[in-house]
């Protein structure tokens, strides 16, 4: 029985460590995607289809088949490594030192992720206010993910509140004396994140579930003490000293060993934040951002737009007269007042325009649609016309606004 428990603990420790190294410590993973292409392809041929292959267009993040196959590969690697460890080290009386090292690395990785989740919420870059296309979209047409994003994006105060808690959890995890509090707080936060991802079909299920499980795993060495404190009403002894005898080392070594992981996590987090901000710059509102209603089209028949939504300097949505939506990538030249619209699905640049703003609430596009000259005059929609945007907070509610 003890051998089985030891094997399970070592397997989980190795697997979570490999997962953390690949997905949690650095943006995009410590090892490049192409390193995993062959193992993932072999796993795909074994588990999905004999003709499974990875193309350049294969999405390699989120909850795609690639990611599930990568998890399978990591499980196989972890099982093999654990088996070798078990055979080569079967005489070891306990795993205190290896467990301590694994737990330290995992809690630093978890802290880094909690910082990431928290900072992008506090910065307002994870959700953001509902776009014009989202405001005009019927509720029944929204996907579960769009519903959640609209809900979270409506209230910056609530989003920032959850972000501050996630940052607090990450900060507590960085120090041995507060790691239990940080892990307990992380359990609650990651459980909520995982449930939202599962129930609203957000494609980050794999990561959020792993964060929840790692939060529990970090508490295994203190499980008996937590059981006594919360459920058995028994006295709890102090946490034993680290098995690497850090507290007995010279002062400078202790300070270095304490500060180095902290500096490492903060440095990695600063890099993640910089990359996030750089990506978000392409999603910032441009000079002509907004929702527009078409009031004039020439010649009739070439353009069948009803609404144009320019959500950022690199993204737009067109709703035609039948109500169908088409998504476009934008290439905007704000000096020459030119923009080209690239259909995201077909990846074709079939519309190029010169834009002008004769009045603040008007936008005139002149250019080519399907290689034919066209002129489109649009009028900007007023954001104040949407009840969601002008709704005021009330301490006293004499009636409930349910419709």
């Amino acid at each position: 029985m003890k051998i089985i428990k030891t094997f399970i603990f070592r397997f989980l420790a190795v697997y979570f460590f490999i997962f953390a190294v690949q997905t949690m410590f650095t943006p995009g993973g410590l090892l490049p995607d192409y390193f995993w292409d062959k193992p993932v392809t072999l796993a795909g041929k074994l588990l999905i289809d004999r003709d499974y292959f990875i193309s350049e267009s294969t999405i390699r993040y989120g909850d795609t088949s690639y990611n599930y196959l990568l998890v399978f590969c990591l499980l196989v690697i972890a099982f093999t490594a654990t088996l070798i460890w078990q055979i080569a080290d079967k005489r070891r009386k306990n795993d205190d030192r290896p467990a301590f090292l694994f737990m330290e690395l995992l809690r630093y990785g978890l802290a880094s992720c909690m910082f990431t989740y928290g900072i992008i919420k506090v910065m307002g870059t994870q959700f953001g206010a509902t776009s014009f296309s989202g405001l005009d979209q019927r509720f029944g047409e929204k996907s579960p993910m769009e519903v959640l994003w609209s809900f979270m994006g409506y209230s910056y105060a609530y989003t920032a509140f959850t972000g501050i808690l996630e940052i607090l959890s990450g900060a507590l995890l960085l120090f041995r004396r507060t790691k239990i509090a940080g892990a307990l707080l992380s359990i609650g936060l990651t459980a909520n994140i995982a449930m939202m991802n599962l129930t609203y079909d957000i494609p980050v299920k794999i990561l959020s579930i792993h964060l929840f499980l790692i939060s529990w795993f970090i508490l295994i060495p203190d499980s008996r003490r937590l059981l006594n404190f919360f459920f058995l009403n028994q006295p709890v002894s102090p946490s034993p000293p680290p098995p690497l005898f850090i507290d007995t080392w010279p002062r400078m070594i202790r300070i270095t060993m304490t500060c180095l992981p902290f500096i490492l996590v903060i440095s990695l987090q600063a890099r993640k934040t910089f990359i996030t901000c750089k990506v978000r710059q392409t999603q910032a509102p441009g000079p002509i951002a907004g929702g527009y209603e078409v009031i004039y089209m020439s010649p009739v028949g070439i353009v069948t737009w009803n609404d144009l939504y320019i959500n950022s300097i690199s993204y737009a949505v067109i709703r035609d007269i039948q109500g169908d939506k088409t998504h476009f990538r934008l290439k905007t030249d704000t000096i020459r007042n030119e923009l080209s619209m690239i259909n995201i699905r077909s990846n074709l640049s079939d519309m190029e325009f010169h834009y002008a703003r004769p009045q603040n609430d008007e936008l005139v596009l002149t250019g080519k649609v399907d290689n034919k000259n066209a002129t489109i005059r649009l009028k900007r929609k007023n954001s104040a016309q949407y009840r969601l945007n002008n709704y005021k907070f009330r301490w006293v509610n004499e009636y409930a606004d349910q419709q």
Side-chain angles (χ1 to χ4, degrees), residues 37-57:
D37 283 355
K38 288 186 178 180
V40 168
T41 300
L42 290 174
K45 291 180 181 297
L46 176 66
L47 301 176
I48 298 179
D49 192 296
R50 291 182 179 180
D51 298 326
Y52 179 86
F53 72 100
I54 298 173
S55 65
E56 292 183 0
S57 61

Side-chain angles (χ1 to χ4, degrees), residues 3 100 106 133 159 382:
I3 296 176
F100 175 75
L106 286 176
S133 58
T159 302
N382 184 4

Side-chain angles (χ1 to χ4, degrees), residues 164 294 380 403:
I164 291 171
V294 175
R380 183 190 290 271
Q403 296 180 358

Side-chain angles (χ1 to χ4, degrees), residues 173-185:
L173 282 165
L174 288 178
F175 304 98
R176 285 190 291 117
R177 293 187 178 183
T178 57
K179 67 178 182 180
I180 294 178
L184 291 173
L185 181 56

Side-chain angles (χ1 to χ4, degrees), residues 27 38 48 52-53 55 76 94-95 97 102 136 148 159 162 177 189 232 248 285 319 340 352 370 385-386 403:
K38 288 186 178 180
I48 298 179
Y52 179 86
F53 72 100
S55 65
V76 172
N94 61 67
D95 286 329
R97 292 192 179 186
F102 277 118
D136 273 351
L148 178 63
T159 302
T162 57
R177 293 187 178 183
L189 293 170
L232 301 181
T248 63
R319 185 192 294 270
S340 61
E352 297 182 355
D370 296 331
Q385 75 184 56
Y386 300 97
Q403 296 180 358

